[in-house]
């Protein structure tokens, strides 16, 4: 089996994108597919999301890279909104997306009637949790079910076996205390419905526990706040259960979260395919997953957990990673601690204050024990820095944001990052008094061709050598491509005006782009049904 075949046989890695930078982060991290929301009828209305024009650009970019794009239209739709929702599906279809993730049964029926070629995936908010539910949706034309997050491995396996549908399972990110995001509590006490994309997150608030009128003491007050899901160690079990797609939660998360999590799961998937019997997750990978965002990790229901094992009662937000305990606090407000993990300028830290209040800081100045300024420090070193707010000896300190991860992500989403460019070779041919032919060819064999309108002439000063051709044809900075190889089949000593060569480059790249996207830019529909 070749490396390419191994990757094709692997489970799909599906990444979230709440904005354009997050989409680039997912692509650079190694996602096989990206899911995102439009400006309307998305279960994450507080994400930036994508208007139709930006959605088309996202679809083209992902398809040029051989990736898939799924769009969420996964809220409940009222009768009065149904024409608008159906029109949106028409625009999404015309954008050439691979599938729509949908919740409303009525909209599914209308989509099947008016857009029979549009692939539909059942949202996790449909809470598909058994074979009967999956089979019902299969009869409605659903191709994939995003299963409820409350299922065990055995239950996932049974649904796959009974239905034969593609199954998608959340493997990383936030969990909801209710059934797969259908939060009625948010509607009741917050006036914002999770089924309309506006969850108020009441599960992240403080509560008290009573039996009758008697208060029961608990270890913390966040009694409904689940830990974050992390199934990295259970990739073999997911594969054995027949899971088609591994879904990362996080359309409200920052690009550095998307990039880091996707990159690590990509590594883990390839490791598993290479050697299933020796699969492992390294401590450094767990640390990086924790560093980008965590409320404490759990393997959730899939891992066999129930009830209190899933809840993080001590705090509802990002814990980060443990830095150490405060040794002392001086009069200048500097705290001293021995590091349990690395720390650098630009990192953000938070103190779990033992006596009320809260203390935090962005590390702008960092000192060693002798008072010398540092750029960074390693585990085991003792350092000092200032925090805002009261803190006390013995308090625990956590790193909640990493400047290093931010820098890595900024580099990853840079348009000039090679991972965001598609390699292609240039093939140049021609002879004296004949036109020059330029072909750009990608690794899949797609070709874009252009022929000069001016004939090749004998060069007086600067002939078209391989070096000259590489310099001119390699100027692909504002395109999704990069020049990886030059094949120069020209006769020696010939020239062509560089302006003409530049125009050929533009034409050939445009032609290559059209060839690669032709299958996605097919039949269009009038969205005003």
């Amino acid at each position: 089996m070749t490396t390419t075949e191994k990757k094709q046989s692997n489970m799909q890695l599906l990444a979230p994108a709440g904005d354009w930078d997050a989409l680039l982060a997912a692509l650079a991290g190694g996602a096989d597919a990206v899911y995102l929301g439009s400006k309307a009828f998305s279960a994450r209305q507080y994400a930036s999301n994508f208007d139709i024009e930006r959605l088309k650009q996202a679809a083209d970019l992902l398809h040029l890279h051989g990736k898939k794009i799924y769009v969420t239209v996964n809220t409940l739709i009222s009768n009065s909104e149904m024409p608008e929702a159906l029109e949106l599906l028409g625009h999404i279809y015309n954008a050439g997306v691979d599938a729509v993730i949908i919740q409303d049964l009525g909209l599914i029926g209308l989509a099947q009637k008016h857009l029979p070629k549009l692939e539909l995936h059942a949202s996790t908010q449909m809470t598909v949790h058994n074979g009967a539910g999956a089979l019902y949706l299969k009869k409605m034309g659903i191709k994939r079910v995003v299963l409820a997050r409350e299922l065990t491995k055995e239950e996932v396996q049974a649904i796959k076996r009974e239905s034969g549908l593609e199954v998608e399972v959340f493997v990383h990110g936030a969990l909801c205390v209710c059934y797969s995001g259908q939060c009625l509590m948010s509607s009741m006490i917050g006036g914002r419905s999770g089924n309309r994309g506006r969850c108020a997150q009441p599960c992240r608030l403080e509560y008290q526990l009573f039996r009758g009128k008697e208060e029961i003491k608990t270890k913390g007050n966040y009694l409904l706040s689940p830990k974050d899901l992390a199934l990295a160690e259970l990739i073999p079990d997911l594969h054995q259960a027949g899971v088609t797609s591994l879904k990362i939660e996080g359309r409200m998360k920052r690009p550095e979260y998307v990039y880091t999590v996707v990159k690590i799961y990509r590594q883990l998937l390839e490791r598993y395919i290479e050697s299933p019997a020796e699969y492992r997750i390294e401590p450094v990978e767990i640390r990086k997953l924790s560093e980008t965002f965590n409320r404490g990790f759990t393997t959730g229901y899939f891992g066999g957990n129930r009830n209190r094992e899933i809840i993080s009662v001590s705090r509802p937000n990002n814990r980060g990673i443990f830095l150490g305990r405060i040794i002392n606090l001086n009069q200048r407000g500097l705290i001293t601690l021995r590091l349990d993990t690395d720390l650098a300028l630009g990192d953000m830290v938070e103190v779990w204050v033992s006596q009320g209040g809260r203390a935090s800081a962005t590390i702008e100045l960092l000192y060693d024990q002798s008072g010398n300024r540092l750029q960074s420090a390693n585990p085991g070193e003792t350092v000092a820095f200032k925090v805002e707010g009261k803190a006390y000896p013995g308090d625990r300190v956590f790193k909640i944001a990493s400047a290093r991860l931010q820098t890595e992500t900024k580099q990853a989403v840079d348009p000039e990052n090679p991972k965001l460019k598609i390699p292609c070779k240039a093939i140049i041919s021609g002879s004296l008094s004949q036109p020059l032919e330029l072909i750009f060819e990608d690794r899949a064999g797609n070709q874009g061709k252009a022929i000069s309108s001016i004939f090749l002439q004998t060069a007086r000063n600067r002939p078209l050598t391989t070096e000259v051709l590489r310099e001119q044809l390699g100027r692909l900075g504002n395109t999704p491509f990069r020049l990886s190889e030059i094949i120069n089949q020209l006769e020696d000593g010939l020239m062509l005006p560089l302006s003409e060569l530049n125009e050929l480059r533009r034409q050939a790249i445009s032609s290559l782009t059209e060839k690669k996207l032709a299958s996605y830019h097919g039949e269009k529909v009038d969205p005003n049904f």
Side-chain angles (χ1 to χ4, degrees), residues 218-232:
T218 55
K219 293 182 179 180
N221 294 327
Y222 299 97
L223 306 182
L224 301 180
S225 182
K227 298 175 183 176
D228 281 356
L229 185 66
L231 299 187

Side-chain angles (χ1 to χ4, degrees), residues 72-238:
T72 59
V73 184
N74 58 342
T75 61
L76 295 178
I77 313 295
S78 68
N79 285 346
S80 63
E81 294 171 328
M82 203 60 80
E84 181 187 352
L86 186 58
E87 180 182 348
L88 175 62
L89 289 186
H91 287 298
I92 290 172
Y93 177 82
N94 288 341
V97 306
D98 296 282
V100 170
I101 302 171
I102 198 165
Q103 178 187 185
D104 192 284
L105 281 170
L107 189 58
I108 290 175
L110 288 174
Q112 292 291 3
K113 178 182 178 181
H114 296 284
L115 296 163
K117 294 182 181 179
L118 178 62
E119 184 173 312
L120 300 178
H121 296 176
S123 169
T124 189
Q125 290 190 244
M126 296 192 82
T127 58
V128 179
H129 61 280
N130 56 39
L135 285 169
Y136 177 80
L137 291 172
K138 185 176 184 178
K139 290 177 182 178
M140 290 194 71
I142 294 292
K143 182 176 180 181
R144 176 185 295 187
V145 289
V146 187
L147 293 177
R149 280 171 261 199
E150 294 73 36
L151 300 177
T152 64
K153 172 188 173 182
E154 292 73 24
E155 289 165 336
V156 171
Q157 201 164 19
I159 293 170
K160 173 67 177 180
R161 182 176 61 249
E162 291 173 28
S163 70
L165 287 171
E166 294 182 2
V167 296
E168 187 169 295
V169 170
F170 279 92
V171 296
H172 198 93
L175 283 172
C176 186
V177 72
C178 70
Y179 285 106
S180 283
Q182 289 194 331
C183 188
L184 301 181
M185 186 178 179
S186 177
S187 299
M188 294 296 293
I189 69 174
R192 290 159 45 184
S193 172
N195 287 302
R196 300 283 290 171
R198 298 179 177 88
C199 181
Q201 293 196 311
C203 59
R204 306 301 180 190
L205 301 177
E206 292 184 89
Y207 294 93
Q208 294 169 288
L209 181 63
F210 286 85
R211 182 186 290 115
K213 293 184 179 181
E214 178 190 359
E215 182 179 355
I216 300 172
K217 295 298 181 183
T218 55
K219 293 182 179 180
N221 294 327
Y222 299 97
L223 306 182
L224 301 180
S225 182
K227 298 175 183 176
D228 281 356
L229 185 66
L231 299 187
E233 64 186 77
L234 299 183
I235 283 177
D237 297 270
L238 291 158

Side-chain angles (χ1 to χ4, degrees), residues 347-420:
D347 289 349
M348 292 181 64
V349 301
E350 186 172 278
V351 182
W352 289 23
V353 180
S354 57
Q355 300 180 40
R358 175 175 187 170
S360 62
T362 297
I363 305 300
E364 297 177 352
L365 295 173
L366 185 64
Y367 304 94
D368 64 15
Q369 286 180 286
S370 302
N372 299 311
R373 290 190 180 185
L374 302 171
Q375 294 291 316
S376 61
N378 296 315
E381 296 182 30
T382 299
V383 298
F385 54 86
K386 189 173 184 178
V387 297
E388 298 297 330
K390 293 183 179 180
Y392 304 89
D395 286 348
R396 290 178 293 170
V397 184
F398 292 79
K399 180 167 70 170
I400 60 171
S402 166
R404 173 180 49 78
L405 287 183
Q406 292 172 358
T407 299
E408 287 180 9
T409 304
K410 187 176 181 180
Q411 294 171 347
V413 303
D414 187 314
E416 296 306 311
N417 178 8
K419 289 188 177 180
L420 297 179

